[in-house]
Amino acid sequence: MALPVAAARGPLWRLGPAALSPRRGRVPSPLAPAVSRSPVRSPARSLSSRAASRALVAAVAAAARRVSARYERYLERSCPRFYVLHSTFKTGVQALFLEVQEIRRIRARMAQLQLSPQQLPYRDMERLRQFRRDVLKAIPIGIIAIPPFANFLVLVLMYFFPRQLLIRHFWTPRQQLEFLDAYDCRRRASHPAVLRALARAARSLPEAQPQQLLLQLCDQVQGGARPHLAQLLAVRSLFSGSVLVLNRLQVDHVRALSQVLFLTPHLPAFLLRHRLRSHVLEIQHLDHALLHLGLGQLSEEELRAACYLRGLNSTHLGQAECQAWLEQWLRLSCELQASEASLLAHSMVLLALPPRQPPE
């Protein structure tokens, strides 16, 4: 019996001692991949947890809306004046958020198609222009809010000086009419200075006939009459090759015209001329885009805003009167060249009289 046992053990001795030892359990190899012991989450359980989280968020949002609605009803009953400010601020934030999204869309489209601002449609061009002015107006209040604990001062200043510090999104409807009238009064206060400077420049012209035409035009406007389009086109050559070019105007003349376009007059002369020319050419580009769009496509609010930008106080005018005035302006603007931008700037004063006086 010993021989068969030894013969049976012969191959096992060649496999080593591990083959002779009893199997107590498998020892994992260090090279074998580790098996995760975490429980496997089923897709149905994952979807149910997501649905539960979404339902929770929806419930919280609905509760917040109910609380906000109750708070607004309480403000409307108890503090109607503060409720108007609250609703205006809430609507202004929403409008500003939508405006920023629209500006980003326009910028992305410009970068994708490699367009300049002058190649945009009218509404996109006007939206970019107005947004740039709103950002410049918001810079001072942003600087004031930089120091610590200055937020309370900012709120006080915004409450007492809304016209100077707040942008148009945060004006109440009553404030919009009031502030537009206030800005127009400031603009009209500079009209006599523009007409005096224009008459002084006309007297320095060498030829008698153009001088007489321009002086007659100034007297007509000072007398309260609005000139015709043919009268302005008859003197167009004087604003492109004489002392009436924007680059040759006297400093006080440029300052008065800058106030008509709501530009600060407290800058060096070369900056005043550069800013005045760039703003007038921007309005002319808007005019070409508006002519391509058509006046019939504008809403009443857009029509009034277009007239106000070009020098006419349209807050107390009807839609038909605004459209008639803007048609005359577009015929003049699209007839002029870029070198005749000085006549377009002066036309904001010469054509500023409405078709009829606003009722008192």
Side-chain angles (χ1 to χ4, degrees):
M1 292 297 294
L3 182 61
V5 173
R9 287 185 177 182
L12 297 179
W13 284 109
R14 295 188 186 97
L15 295 178
L20 298 177
S21 61
R23 299 180 64 181
R24 299 178 181 178
R26 180 172 295 181
V27 179
S29 173
L31 298 179
V35 179
S36 175
R37 297 179 180 272
S38 60
V40 179
R41 183 175 298 179
S42 63
R45 185 176 180 182
S46 177
L47 291 177
S48 63
S49 62
R50 291 179 182 178
S53 61
R54 290 176 182 175
L56 179 62
V57 171
V60 171
R65 284 194 296 268
R66 288 195 298 269
V67 171
S68 177
R70 292 177 182 176
Y71 176 68
E72 290 181 356
R73 287 195 296 268
Y74 169 76
L75 285 180
E76 189 176 6
R77 291 193 307 266
S78 304
C79 308
R81 185 175 179 181
F82 185 76
Y83 170 75
V84 172
L85 297 178
H86 169 75
S87 60
T88 302
F89 179 78
K90 179 181 177 181
T91 307
V93 169
Q94 295 174 353
L96 183 60
F97 179 74
L98 295 177
E99 187 81 8
V100 171
Q101 286 186 328
E102 190 66 22
I103 293 298
R104 292 180 61 183
R105 182 193 65 80
I106 296 173
R107 294 289 188 185
R109 182 169 176 266
M110 290 175 60
Q112 182 181 4
L113 301 179
Q114 296 182 354
L115 298 176
S116 63
Q118 293 78 18
Q119 295 174 318
L120 293 174
Y122 171 75
R123 287 189 173 93
D124 292 347
M125 197 186 307
E126 172 63 22
R127 189 172 283 112
L128 282 178
R129 185 200 66 84
Q130 187 62 51
F131 184 77
R132 185 172 63 249
R133 294 182 67 90
D134 291 340
V135 170
L136 291 176
K137 187 175 182 179
I139 287 177
I141 200 69
I143 295 176
I144 296 175
I146 290 177
F149 307 105
N151 296 331
F152 299 102
L153 176 62
V154 169
L155 293 177
V156 171
L157 293 176
M158 291 170 65
Y159 181 79
F160 287 102
F161 304 99
R163 178 171 62 88
Q164 293 82 1
L165 299 178
L166 292 181
I167 59 178
R168 55 192 171 89
H169 299 88
F170 301 99
W171 292 350
T172 63
R174 181 179 178 181
Q175 286 177 336
Q176 290 182 6
L177 295 177
E178 179 184 349
F179 295 164
L180 290 178
D181 285 338
Y183 282 126
D184 186 70
C185 288
R186 290 176 51 188
R187 177 167 58 185
R188 287 184 176 274
S190 60
H191 286 187
V194 173
L195 294 175
R196 287 194 301 268
L198 184 59
R200 185 173 63 247
R203 296 187 186 96
S204 64
L205 295 175
E207 300 180 4
Q209 184 178 2
Q211 179 183 121
Q212 184 179 1
L213 289 175
L214 199 54
L215 288 175
Q216 182 181 358
L217 193 63
C218 292
D219 293 339
Q220 181 179 351
V221 175
Q222 288 175 342
R226 192 157 55 100
H228 298 286
L229 182 62
Q231 294 178 270
L232 297 177
L233 293 177
V235 296
R236 61 185 295 183
S237 60
L238 302 178
F239 292 86
S240 60
S242 65
V243 294
L244 292 174
V245 183
L246 287 180
N247 294 332
R248 299 181 185 177
L249 294 178
Q250 298 294 326
V251 178
D252 56 344
H253 196 167
V254 178
R255 286 199 175 98
L257 281 175
S258 298
Q259 291 177 334
V260 173
L261 275 78
F262 302 121
L263 301 175
T264 175
H266 308 293
L267 290 175
F270 70 95
L271 280 180
L272 286 175
R273 292 188 177 95
H274 174 73
R275 295 191 69 197
L276 182 61
R277 177 179 172 81
S278 63
H279 278 71
V280 173
L281 292 180
E282 184 180 33
I283 292 177
Q284 193 171 29
H285 290 309
L286 283 169
D287 293 336
H288 286 283
L290 179 56
L291 186 65
H292 180 73
L293 175 66
L295 291 180
Q297 302 297 322
L298 296 182
S299 63
E300 184 176 358
E301 182 181 359
E302 291 174 332
L303 191 63
R304 293 180 184 276
C307 292
Y308 192 90
L309 173 65
R310 290 154 179 83
L312 177 68
N313 186 10
S314 55
T315 55
H316 304 283
L317 298 180
Q319 185 174 0
E321 295 167 328
C322 293
Q323 187 169 357
W325 186 92
L326 194 55
E327 285 178 355
Q328 183 181 9
W329 173 274
L330 290 181
R331 287 199 301 269
L332 173 65
S333 176
C334 296
E335 185 73 21
L336 299 178
Q337 303 295 326
S339 59
E340 299 167 332
S342 179
L343 176 57
L344 196 63
H346 286 86
S347 297
M348 297 182 66
V349 178
L350 300 175
L351 296 177
L353 292 176
R356 64 176 177 85
Q357 295 296 329
E360 296 182 0

